[in-house]
């Protein structure tokens, strides 16, 4: 994967994930797959909106720009992924940001509901390490090399 030729490394990725082990695994997955894009992590839906609206500790919009896409866990404290997705897709300046639900949920209802709420993809997290690494590789290839993403606006 040669991301630099397409200048895709400037695309920031926002990961909303409350599990520290999953955050570490995701960081390792991006690194092992040579995905050099800046990764930002938030641990719940409230922190997600602080980031997206450049509030609180995320007030520096140069350090915390609008992401090219969001990887969203469904089951988070304070504001879960479903509510966060519903809110993102209801705010004009945020609704164009692609949201990829990345979850351990095996419930078909979760998949159907998140697509109804405007998710761009629904991915079940593999439990096997090598399968997870392959999922991250494929996700990076698709969302960073193939798809044309809207230009992030401040």
């Amino acid at each position: 994967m040669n991301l630099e030729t397409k200048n895709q490394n400037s695309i920031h990725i926002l990961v909303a994930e409350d599990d520290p082990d999953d955050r570490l695994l995701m960081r390792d997955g991006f690194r092992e797959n040579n995905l050099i894009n800046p990764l930002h992590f938030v641990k719940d839906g409230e922190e997600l909106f602080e980031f997206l609206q450049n509030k609180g500790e995320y007030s520096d919009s140069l350090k915390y720009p609008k992401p090219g896409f969001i990887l969203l866990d469904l089951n988070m404290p304070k504001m879960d992924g479903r509510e966060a997705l519903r809110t993102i897709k209801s705010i004009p300046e945020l609704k164009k940001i692609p949201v990829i639900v990345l979850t351990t949920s095996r419930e078909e209802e979760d998949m159907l509901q998140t697509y109804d709420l405007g998710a761009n993809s629904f991915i079940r997290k593999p439990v096997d390490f090598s399968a997870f690494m392959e999922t991250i590789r494929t996700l990076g290839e698709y969302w960073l090399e193939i798809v044309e993403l809207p230009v992030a606006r401040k």
Side-chain angles (χ1 to χ4, degrees):
M1 240 186 283
N2 189 351
L3 299 179
E4 296 205 285
T5 60
K6 295 181 86 175
N7 200 24
Q8 296 294 319
N9 58 325
S10 62
I11 295 171
H12 288 245
I13 301 163
L14 179 55
V15 181
E17 171 63 64
D18 65 313
D19 186 302
D21 292 333
D22 284 352
R23 288 194 302 262
L24 183 61
L25 190 61
M26 200 158 310
R27 189 180 308 278
D28 289 347
F30 272 80
R31 190 174 303 124
E32 282 192 29
N33 285 291
N34 297 313
L35 300 170
I36 59 173
N37 299 72
L39 282 176
H40 303 275
F41 291 89
V42 294
K43 63 186 175 307
D44 59 53
E46 288 181 6
E47 196 176 334
L48 171 68
F49 282 99
E50 287 178 10
F51 185 103
L52 291 172
Q53 297 171 334
N54 293 114
K55 293 185 177 174
E57 69 178 282
Y58 303 106
S59 62
D60 183 346
S61 62
L62 292 176
K63 189 174 178 182
Y64 305 108
K66 292 283 184 278
F69 63 88
I70 299 168
L71 295 173
L72 180 66
D73 184 30
L74 287 184
N75 301 311
M76 297 183 295
K78 296 187 182 178
M79 177 192 292
D80 75 2
R82 294 159 200 82
E83 186 180 348
L85 177 59
R86 179 182 295 110
T87 305
I88 289 167
K89 295 303 180 178
S90 73
I91 299 173
E93 59 270 14
L94 300 179
K95 71 180 182 181
K96 286 185 177 72
I97 300 172
V99 178
I100 298 114
V101 173
L102 189 60
T103 182
T104 56
S105 172
R106 299 291 183 240
E107 298 297 321
E108 185 173 348
E109 181 56 34
D110 283 337
M111 178 185 60
L112 296 172
Q113 181 184 28
T114 57
Y115 277 123
D116 283 344
L117 292 171
N120 297 87
S121 293
F122 183 93
I123 301 171
R124 289 187 173 99
K125 289 181 196 171
V127 291
D128 176 71
F129 178 77
S130 62
F132 186 81
M133 291 297 121
E134 178 61 18
T135 297
I136 295 297
R137 186 196 66 74
T138 304
L139 187 148
E141 182 177 19
Y142 181 76
W143 285 100
L144 298 170
E145 289 189 18
I146 296 172
V147 171
E148 293 286 334
L149 293 169
V151 177
R153 306 250 187 252
K154 289 192 168 86

